[in-house]
Amino acid sequence: MGNAWFETVAEAQRRARRRLPKGVYGALIAGSESGVTAEDNTAAFAELGFAPRTAGLVNERRLATTVMGQEVSMPVLISPTGVQAVHPDGEVAVARAAASRGVAMGLSSFASKPVEEVVGANPKTFFQIYWVGTREEMAARMRRARRAGAVGLIVTLDWSFAYGRDWGSPFIPERIDFEALRRYVPQVMLKPRWLWEFAKTRRLPDLTVPNMAAAPGVPGPTFLGAYREWSQSPMPSWDDVAWLREQWGDAPFMLKGVMRVDEAERAVDAGVTAISVSNHGGNNLDGTPASIRALPAIAEAVGDRVEVLLDGGIRRGSDVAKALALGAQAVMIGRAYLWGLAANGQAGVENVLDLVRDGLGSALVGLGRGSIGDLRREDLVVPPGFERRLGTVGPDGPLRAVPAAAAFAPSTPGR
Ligand SMILES: Cc1cc2nc3c(=O)[nH]c(=O)nc-3n(C[C@H](O)[C@H](O)[C@H](O)COP(=O)(O)O)c2cc1C
């Protein structure tokens, strides 16, 4: 299928839109409220320029690194996403693609495939959990993930249960029943190729989340059931973060969704291995600045004590170079691989990873850097007022001035 190859992530997105029923595509786009944060995540990358070199360029492109104890071929990880029904092989296809490209996999606890199968496809799998249910239930889920061979834990706490999008939210059924079919059939019938992928497997899209169960084989709740339980769980405290850390043992542990310098410091105190500077891809509190704007201050504050990753808005390899030049050790991608998966299954995710790798390599060449470790802020043109320092400086320090969010464009995310 030579013509299945796509040359940019933007093309993967166009194909995903063409292929998927409207509601499923809408679930991938996500975003919240007016979409300014989702929009700013990508707009901010476009504001950053490069300062290229023209002579004395090097041929080398050393991209390999170590993240959370795993040797990876490039500083790009699969960010955990809880979307199902995009492709029948779902997270297993993504894990296989990541493994074939030497990339680590983040697996959502709201994923559609069991952690045992995903680790089987990619031993470099980090299991992601939310704070849902009782401590006993969470401990059981962590034990199950460890037993399955997950090599790290990603804890995601940034979620405020805001719903309502100015452009409308997709309908997500509890299960595929008559009512769901009635509401979905008109849009599904317009997308026969998507339907055919599922028809071949003789299974309907599965809307349960198997990793919320304490043991393999025990039926998990539905996605909406798990979401309801999550929204009713008490909000976690920093003591709870420390408890999770302790339960997970000494294996690598990431806190995802840190945007403030003071919280990055607290994460260090809680004993994390890594943080991801992230606003949940703009799906959480709308009005939060782009994660790349918050990165430099956080990397400067804690970058010598924990691994600092970034996610949000990465659409090409040059975005990865920009994040590394501003202090990230690695990045995680979300929508980019979801679009690849929707466009062409496992091969589509491999396609996206290849594009990101090649783009990062090209950026290194253009900047005259032979290795990702050589990237520096001076390789970039950072416009005045680009950065946002969020939070207090020290435990009792004053709140530093946060520049007005002038860069927010009042439009909806690219759809
Ligand atoms: C459709 C969708 C589902 C997501 N589900 C999860 C999830 O289950 N757990 C999690 O930690 N993050 C989740 N995220 C956030 C991603 O891990 C990541 O932070 C974000 O997508 C990065 O931004 P990007 O999509 O611009 O690359 C989700 C994001 C999207 C778009």
Side-chain angles (χ1 to χ4, degrees):
M1 287 249 296
N3 62 359
W5 183 81
F6 43 85
E7 69 176 300
T8 65
V9 169
E11 174 59 17
Q13 179 178 1
R14 278 192 289 276
R15 291 190 194 181
R17 182 168 32 203
R18 276 205 301 274
R19 244 189 127 130
L20 295 176
K22 195 163 167 263
V24 179
Y25 179 71
L28 292 195
I29 287 291
S32 74
E33 301 208 329
S34 70
V36 284
T37 299
E39 177 85 6
D40 196 40
N41 273 353
T42 48
F45 276 104
E47 282 177 35
L48 292 170
F50 282 120
R53 292 178 176 79
T54 43
L57 301 182
V58 277
N59 251 330
E60 260 179 298
R61 301 166 190 211
R62 268 179 288 134
L63 307 184
T65 185
T66 302
V67 182
M68 296 239 291
Q70 297 303 308
E71 286 176 17
V72 285
S73 68
M74 63 172 164
V76 178
L77 284 71
I78 297 291
S79 207
T81 60
V83 163
Q84 305 131 34
V86 175
H87 189 277
D89 295 335
E91 296 79 7
V92 173
V94 176
R96 283 194 195 117
S100 84
R101 297 303 188 263
V103 163
M105 166 85 188
L107 175 68
S108 170
S109 54
F110 282 2
S112 64
K113 298 288 179 193
V115 58
E116 293 76 14
E117 258 183 69
V118 173
V119 174
N122 188 344
K124 296 179 182 179
T125 292
F126 304 129
F127 184 64
Q128 178 263 324
I129 60 165
Y130 290 115
W131 188 261
V132 186
T134 63
R135 282 190 169 194
E136 289 68 40
E137 287 166 335
M138 282 181 266
R141 278 178 218 131
M142 283 187 270
R143 271 198 306 277
R144 173 179 168 188
R146 293 265 333 229
R147 228 175 272 137
V151 289
L153 188 73
I154 299 177
V155 173
T156 307
L157 302 181
D158 60 332
W159 194 262
S160 51
F161 302 97
Y163 60 93
R165 302 177 174 96
D166 290 355
W167 57 94
S169 286
F171 163 65
I172 300 178
E174 180 88 37
R175 54 181 61 80
I176 302 289
D177 55 11
F178 179 74
E179 170 59 14
L181 286 177
R182 187 185 66 74
R183 292 187 61 174
Y184 258 117
V185 157
Q187 31 174 314
V188 167
M189 283 309 162
L190 295 171
K191 308 288 177 180
R193 279 178 56 190
W194 179 81
L195 191 60
W196 175 236
E197 290 288 343
F198 283 93
K200 279 190 296 193
T201 67
R202 295 175 184 277
R203 277 183 291 128
L204 284 167
D206 186 3
L207 299 178
T208 58
V209 285
N211 297 313
M212 293 298 286
V218 176
T222 61
F223 178 83
L224 285 185
Y227 189 88
R228 266 194 299 274
E229 193 188 350
W230 183 22
S231 65
Q232 285 156 16
S233 302
M235 289 296 180
S237 65
W238 281 101
D239 284 345
D240 293 326
V241 175
W243 177 81
L244 286 167
R245 208 307 159 235
E246 198 185 298
Q247 290 296 311
W248 186 248
D250 51 13
F253 180 106
M254 177 197 293
L255 185 63
K256 176 171 174 283
V258 176
M259 286 291 289
R260 300 169 55 110
V261 177
D262 49 4
E263 289 214 321
E265 291 284 358
R266 295 200 77 158
V268 174
D269 293 344
V272 307
T273 319
I275 56 173
S276 190
V277 178
S278 162
N279 52 35
H280 214 115
N283 304 333
N284 184 31
L285 191 59
D286 196 37
T288 307
S291 47
I292 187 76
R293 298 189 195 279
L295 171 69
I298 292 178
E300 191 191 303
V302 301
D304 55 344
R305 286 173 285 158
V306 291
E307 293 175 23
V308 177
L309 283 82
L310 169 123
D311 70 80
I314 301 279
R315 300 289 180 269
R316 55 191 81 245
S318 59
D319 293 340
V320 182
K322 290 172 180 176
L324 299 191
L326 290 182
Q329 259 127 312
V331 303
M332 303 204 287
I333 57 171
R335 291 176 183 83
Y337 79 80
L338 288 173
W339 292 327
L341 178 68
N344 197 22
Q346 178 184 339
V349 179
E350 290 168 356
N351 194 157
V352 166
L353 293 172
D354 290 346
L355 295 175
V356 172
R357 186 198 54 225
D358 293 350
L360 176 58
S362 296
L364 282 184
V365 171
L367 294 168
R369 302 294 198 188
S371 160
I372 50 168
D374 297 338
L375 287 165
R376 295 287 176 271
R377 191 187 169 103
E378 65 174 61
D379 295 322
L380 301 185
V381 182
V382 183
F386 175 81
E387 290 171 39
R388 303 284 187 274
R389 173 186 286 271
L390 279 64
T392 51
V393 179
D396 305 306
L399 191 70
R400 285 255 189 107
V402 180
F408 287 168
S411 59
T412 50
R415 265 156 296 125

